[in-house]
Amino acid sequence: MNDNVNYSETIKDFIVDNFLFGDGEKLATDTLLFEKGIIDSTGVLELVAFIEENFKISITDEELIQDNFSNLNAIGNFLKSKNNRAAS
Amino acid sequence: MCGISGILNLKNPASIDTNNLRRMTYALRHRGPDETGAYVDNWIGLAQSRLSIIDLSSGSQPIHNEDKSIWIVFNGEIFNYPEIRESLAKRGHKFYTSSDTEVILHLYEEKKEKCLDDLNGQFAFAIWDSNRKEFFAARDRVGILPLFYRIENDRLLFASEVKAIIEISDTQTALDPVGLDQIFTFWTTLPSRTAFAGINELAPGHFIKYSKGNNISVNRYWSLSYNNELVQNDKSIPQFTTEISELMKDSVRLRLRADVPVGSYLSGGLDSSGITAIVKNDFNNQLRTFGITFQEESFDESDFQHLMVKHLDTNHSEVHATNEDIGKYFSDIVYYGEKPIIRAAPVPLFLLSKKVREEGYKVVLTGEGADEIFGGYNIFRETKVRKFWSVDADSKFRPKLLKKLYPYIFNDKRLAQTLQSFFKVGIDDPGNSFFSHIVRWNNNTKLKNFFSEDFSKQIGNYNCFDELKSLLPEDFDNWDYVYKAQYLEIITFMSGYLLSSQGDRMAMANSVELRVPYLDHRIIEYMATVPSKFKIRGLNEKYLLKKVFKDLLPKEIVYRPKNPYRAPIRNSFFNNKSFDLHSVLSEKEINESGIFNPGKVKLLIQKAERSQSLSELDNMAIAGIISTHFLQNHFIKYKKLIVPEEYSFGTFIDKRNQIN
């Protein structure tokens, strides 16, 4: 994974396609994914599987907490910090 | 489309019994009710029964070259024949028909077996060069059309269906224990084997060659391949979508070439809806469509089907598949399908082609192949989930993604636990060649517990997984894991079951030709260059195909959950007044056939009588046992056909006095 990868767009597209069936207006970067019922506990695993496949990273059980996936911003921050840790 | 058959002397010239050719042709008359023709010299007899679709007036077979030294019988369609013909004509070839058959012949003259590389189509044909005494037969790339052969007493017998070979064979036909072992694992035999001992299928993408004084050889000319370097990682989703869309349109365009009207199957699923929409929008505004509805609600898709009919405004006909009919016609479909089946799903397709024919249509487009090529099946999604799990086999969370695939079962905590361990098989070895299919195949293997002790002894130590492994490309284990799963699905399920037991054989039973736009080899080859993460995006199957059809189809069709096409088994055979279960599965019958264990079969029947909701495995066992019974009845306790005396070849070329 490199710093220039734009996770946000790819992940947003995936969520719009996969959980909102193309209905992108409902999703802002701070939209709460769980509270709004966009993603459930299975959905977050789907998202993690997608992230792992597309960005060639691996997410541990310990990182699978709601805080890391609460909205698009949180996901972006989590992946950036994970990437920074990997780089350092 | 047609039935072809023939007899070739492999050692010395000897009289070919034309009555045998006649009987073979008669056995295949459902494949070609319009015309018959034969060529015979002292080496070979070639015969054909024709369903006329292209060049109705002058396309009678066998067809010859300019000096009548080379002859061909042909089953199928070469969709790009006008283009090939034009280039052949420029190079001086003279044509006496406007058929695609003649085009193959001249192309063969020029290029020998390399002619196959140029053909875009679905085909099985046999060519005889009477000057060189050379025989050549080939089958299309993925096995849309069938071709079988047996070598017996220095003769090669070949035919579109096994029944024509059995009809004239000197050998008593027996079921092949290894063939059955394969069917009760993979749903079908592996390439080149059949359910019958000593009778082979020419594998998809292969040809047979023989020349006087040499042995027969069977060679491969095409196979699915995968190469990391060919994967276009830098291409965007919109680019892929545009290119696939163009290929699809061109594939459909070519497959509408016919001198009779072409209809379309329309199930209400994405694949057939997409094809139908392309035809309707771009080529034929008066489209005729055909679909199946089911008596049992859980199998029925008529709401989606009707939505599509309304959306496209097609002239639509339906066949309503009742449980009674599924039981009633099961024996027939085994006769036409020629192998044990562990599903009932072919029956409604048999009823559908009957309807098509009654409505005056001979040719229909179908959506087969899309799931294999574009990644539609649950088994691919399951493979992705298990691969995700395999990253940390002890993870508490990862296996819970299975719930996405099987939500109802995973809502039950106890079942969830059982199912989780079921899917854990092989999870620690994601590089295994069979990682994708091992769970399913291991499960199917339990069907073999119904085999009798004697029959199991005949199978002995044979291991069907070893054989399948030996058929895989050398570098297979280095392939992308989704592509590996696709490959396994294509060479087993698709070629052996879908295109055969549910495809050609069910359509040709009623003299109807299927055309499968998704299996244009250009599309298959193109899809090998698409990264698998785009084929199934996350767990969203056929992602690119959905993009292609997004603007052509209603949202409800594009985003609907996919239901596999199935038909009820238990309810079709039990309490069915048109199906005599107890005589079919009587202890006497089971004992006589010797294949299954009578005690176990009895217990299975009792269980099915008690309970309406049987496991998938029990249902498969029921269909497998009943179909094997019918297969034996039709082909082992076989009585020769009674061929009417007046049945004779419309065209008959006799060179027995000239060619030795």
Side-chain angles (χ1 to χ4, degrees):
Chain A
M1 193 163 71
N2 73 61
D3 279 336
N4 300 325
V5 175
N6 187 351
Y7 319 115
S8 313
E9 274 311 302
T10 311
I11 291 170
K12 185 178 175 188
D13 286 349
F14 177 70
I15 293 174
V16 170
D17 260 342
N18 208 54
F19 301 108
L20 297 169
F21 305 105
D23 217 351
E25 302 93 72
K26 286 185 188 157
L27 188 68
T29 54
D30 60 352
T31 306
L32 294 170
L33 299 171
F34 294 91
E35 282 79 351
K36 295 278 176 201
I38 295 170
I39 289 183
D40 60 10
S41 59
T42 309
V44 76
L45 290 171
E46 237 183 305
L47 180 62
V48 169
F50 174 81
I51 291 170
E52 288 193 347
E53 183 183 22
N54 283 271
F55 305 128
K56 305 279 175 229
I57 58 165
S58 171
I59 294 166
T60 65
D61 272 17
E62 289 68 36
E63 290 166 331
L64 263 171
I65 48 172
Q66 196 163 330
D67 285 358
N68 287 338
F69 298 91
S70 57
N71 57 35
L72 281 171
N73 290 332
I75 298 170
N77 290 336
F78 163 62
L79 292 177
K80 268 182 213 133
S81 74
K82 197 172 163 62
N83 190 25
N84 290 340
R85 281 202 304 278
S88 63
Chain B
M1 241 354 191
C2 312
I4 60 171
S5 54
I7 305 164
L8 171 69
N9 288 321
L10 297 172
K11 287 277 184 314
N12 299 302
S15 169
I16 300 277
D17 183 349
T18 56
N19 191 40
N20 274 345
L21 279 183
R22 213 176 121 251
R23 280 160 55 202
M24 289 178 107
T25 311
Y26 189 71
L28 300 176
R29 62 197 180 283
H30 51 280
R31 296 189 71 89
D34 297 336
E35 285 177 5
T36 56
Y39 165 94
V40 59
D41 64 28
N42 282 327
W43 281 93
I44 199 167
L46 296 170
Q48 199 249 11
S49 46
R50 181 173 183 230
L51 178 66
S52 314
I53 287 167
I54 285 178
D55 190 5
L56 309 185
S57 59
S58 70
S60 302
Q61 296 189 29
I63 274 176
H64 56 79
N65 63 340
E66 290 94 337
D67 67 1
K68 299 191 179 179
S69 63
I70 306 180
W71 293 81
I72 181 171
V73 284
F74 168 55
N75 170 205
E77 303 295 341
I78 305 303
F79 298 114
N80 60 339
Y81 78 96
E83 292 79 10
I84 301 176
R85 181 187 165 112
E86 204 183 312
S87 71
L88 285 167
K90 275 187 198 149
R91 293 198 292 278
H93 291 267
K94 298 270 178 286
F95 292 86
Y96 74 99
T97 73
S98 54
S99 68
D100 50 348
T101 315
E102 198 180 3
V103 168
I104 307 173
L105 191 69
H106 289 278
L107 195 63
Y108 173 78
E109 272 189 296
E110 271 205 6
K111 302 179 76 173
K112 293 285 188 260
E113 65 248 35
K114 294 274 171 227
C115 72
L116 297 165
D117 300 340
D118 296 355
L119 303 179
N120 182 345
Q122 50 192 53
F123 53 82
F125 62 81
I127 289 178
W128 173 241
D129 184 332
S130 64
N131 286 341
R132 296 169 190 260
K133 309 284 183 298
E134 277 176 359
F135 173 80
F136 179 74
R139 196 167 168 219
D140 65 64
R141 293 172 179 85
V142 290
I144 301 168
L145 295 190
L147 191 63
F148 298 92
Y149 64 95
R150 163 176 247 166
I151 296 171
E152 173 188 273
N153 302 334
D154 295 333
R155 298 184 307 172
L156 171 78
L157 314 177
F158 65 90
S160 299
E161 295 184 16
V162 174
K163 50 181 73 69
I165 294 174
I166 294 177
E167 178 64 27
I168 64 150
S169 193
D170 293 335
T171 322
Q172 168 63 38
T173 304
L175 294 187
D176 179 4
V178 166
L180 263 63
D181 182 87
Q182 294 174 351
I183 290 167
F184 282 82
T185 308
F186 305 116
W187 295 26
T188 174
T189 45
L190 293 176
S192 91
R193 199 176 281 271
T194 69
F196 303 98
I199 300 179
N200 285 97
E201 178 184 54
L202 180 62
H206 282 67
F207 63 85
I208 302 179
K209 232 167 72 166
Y210 163 84
S211 57
K212 186 181 159 186
N214 294 303
N215 286 331
I216 271 200
S217 65
V218 177
N219 297 291
R220 184 201 290 272
Y221 70 91
W222 186 88
S223 95
L224 287 163
S225 61
Y226 179 82
N227 181 345
N228 249 328
E229 283 162 23
L230 294 179
V231 176
Q232 309 178 77
N233 283 310
D234 48 348
K235 225 176 232 178
S236 71
I237 289 171
Q239 281 173 306
F240 282 122
T241 308
T242 309
E243 287 172 12
I244 293 168
S245 180
E246 279 162 15
L247 274 172
M248 276 306 304
K249 273 186 197 161
D250 199 56
S251 172
V252 169
R253 178 182 68 86
L254 293 186
R255 278 157 187 77
L256 290 170
R257 286 177 169 172
D259 295 328
V260 296
V262 178
S264 186
Y265 281 173
L266 180 59
S267 70
L270 180 80
D271 311 335
S272 63
S273 299
I275 300 264
T276 310
I278 292 177
V279 180
K280 177 83 185 182
N281 290 344
D282 291 6
F283 302 106
N284 175 8
N285 205 27
Q286 307 289 317
L287 186 61
R288 194 77 175 76
T289 53
F290 303 88
I292 299 166
T293 60
F294 281 92
Q295 173 192 350
E296 283 210 25
E297 227 173 85
S298 56
F299 297 86
D300 190 63
E301 300 244 289
S302 50
D303 289 351
F304 288 117
Q305 200 175 114
H306 296 157
L307 175 72
M308 275 309 299
V309 170
K310 205 171 153 211
H311 177 77
L312 293 175
D313 188 24
T314 66
N315 179 3
H316 186 69
S317 296
E318 282 172 9
V319 161
H320 186 62
T322 62
N323 293 351
E324 183 180 344
D325 276 350
I326 292 169
K328 183 176 167 186
Y329 290 103
F330 199 66
S331 167
D332 289 346
I333 65 129
V334 175
Y335 175 74
Y336 289 110
E338 300 181 329
K339 60 173 83 144
I341 40 169
I342 52 181
R343 296 312 244 195
V347 185
L349 289 159
F350 170 78
L351 300 173
L352 184 62
S353 69
K354 197 158 163 253
K355 179 78 181 171
V356 169
R357 190 67 199 192
E358 283 163 8
E359 298 288 327
Y361 275 69
K362 288 182 181 178
V363 186
V364 278
L365 303 180
T366 85
E368 258 72 37
D371 284 321
E372 286 81 358
I373 306 303
F374 287 90
Y377 288 127
N378 243 354
I379 191 146
F380 303 138
R381 302 165 79 217
E382 188 184 297
T383 304
K384 290 193 81 169
V385 173
R386 292 178 68 245
K387 176 86 171 173
F388 171 68
W389 184 1
S390 75
V391 171
D392 176 5
D394 299 324
S395 163
K396 274 197 316 209
F397 296 108
R398 287 177 185 264
K400 298 201 187 316
L401 187 52
L402 284 164
K403 191 175 170 186
K404 173 77 185 173
L405 305 185
Y406 310 101
Y408 303 107
I409 305 174
F410 275 87
N411 282 339
D412 178 326
K413 273 211 169 116
R414 199 173 50 87
L415 273 179
Q417 205 56 43
T418 317
L419 208 62
Q420 196 168 308
S421 43
F422 178 76
F423 286 112
K424 201 169 184 178
V425 174
I427 207 79
D428 52 350
D429 186 13
N432 188 300
S433 311
F434 302 147
F435 177 75
S436 56
H437 283 67
I438 199 68
V439 171
R440 182 171 299 190
W441 288 340
N442 268 350
N443 192 44
N444 291 354
T445 297
K446 293 180 198 147
L447 293 168
K448 291 186 259 188
N449 291 335
F450 284 97
F451 286 156
S452 69
E453 208 175 308
D454 265 6
F455 195 71
S456 300
K457 264 190 205 148
Q458 291 177 49
I459 297 168
N461 292 327
Y462 169 78
N463 184 320
C464 57
F465 298 115
D466 289 345
E467 179 165 341
L468 178 56
K469 191 133 197 193
S470 75
L471 297 172
L472 301 177
E474 233 168 65
D475 59 344
F476 186 74
D477 284 344
N478 302 330
W479 291 14
D480 167 83
Y481 75 103
V482 173
Y483 198 77
K484 273 159 73 174
Q486 288 182 281
Y487 183 91
L488 291 174
E489 194 68 8
I490 287 167
I491 66 161
T492 58
F493 177 84
M494 186 183 91
S495 293
Y497 177 82
L498 187 76
L499 294 175
S500 172
S501 305
Q502 278 187 200
D504 169 82
R505 314 305 288 277
M506 289 309 107
M508 288 310 287
N510 293 303
S511 314
V512 170
E513 170 178 302
L514 300 182
R515 295 182 175 185
V516 271
Y518 291 109
L519 294 179
D520 185 311
H521 69 98
R522 294 170 303 170
I523 295 177
I524 301 175
E525 287 163 4
Y526 179 85
M527 287 308 290
T529 71
V530 177
S532 63
K533 66 178 181 192
F534 290 157
K535 288 182 198 161
I536 305 167
R537 190 90 165 135
L539 296 177
N540 188 357
E541 78 280 357
K542 285 185 290 201
Y543 178 75
L544 291 174
L545 201 59
K546 287 177 183 167
K547 290 266 174 216
V548 168
F549 293 139
K550 196 167 65 82
D551 298 327
L552 289 179
L553 302 177
K555 218 173 167 179
E556 295 93 318
I557 298 288
V558 177
Y559 289 113
R560 59 164 288 194
K562 177 183 164 54
N563 286 330
Y565 166 75
R566 301 159 72 238
I569 295 176
R570 187 240 170 239
N571 293 352
S572 299
F573 297 124
F574 287 76
N575 304 321
N576 181 345
K577 64 179 179 344
S578 300
F579 184 80
D580 189 358
L581 178 86
H582 290 280
S583 76
V584 169
L585 293 184
S586 72
E587 206 166 327
K588 184 171 160 280
E589 285 287 336
I590 298 292
N591 269 322
E592 256 180 40
S593 89
I595 293 178
F596 299 104
N597 178 314
K600 287 184 182 170
V601 173
K602 197 172 166 185
L603 288 173
L604 178 66
I605 296 173
Q606 285 170 356
K607 186 176 176 185
E609 276 172 339
R610 275 196 315 269
S611 163
Q612 287 226 359
S613 54
L614 290 182
S615 72
E616 193 65 16
L617 203 70
D618 291 338
N619 272 305
M620 290 198 279
I622 290 170
I625 294 165
I626 295 175
S627 58
T628 306
H629 164 86
F630 285 133
L631 194 74
Q632 285 181 303
N633 263 8
H634 291 311
F635 299 110
I636 308 301
K637 298 178 186 169
Y638 188 74
K639 291 188 190 64
K640 298 281 182 203
L641 288 170
I642 299 163
V643 183
E645 270 191 28
E646 65 276 13
Y647 188 80
S648 61
F649 289 111
T651 307
F652 189 74
I653 292 111
D654 191 348
K655 298 219 172 186
R656 279 177 293 186
N657 294 328
Q658 297 162 42
I659 294 169
N660 277 300

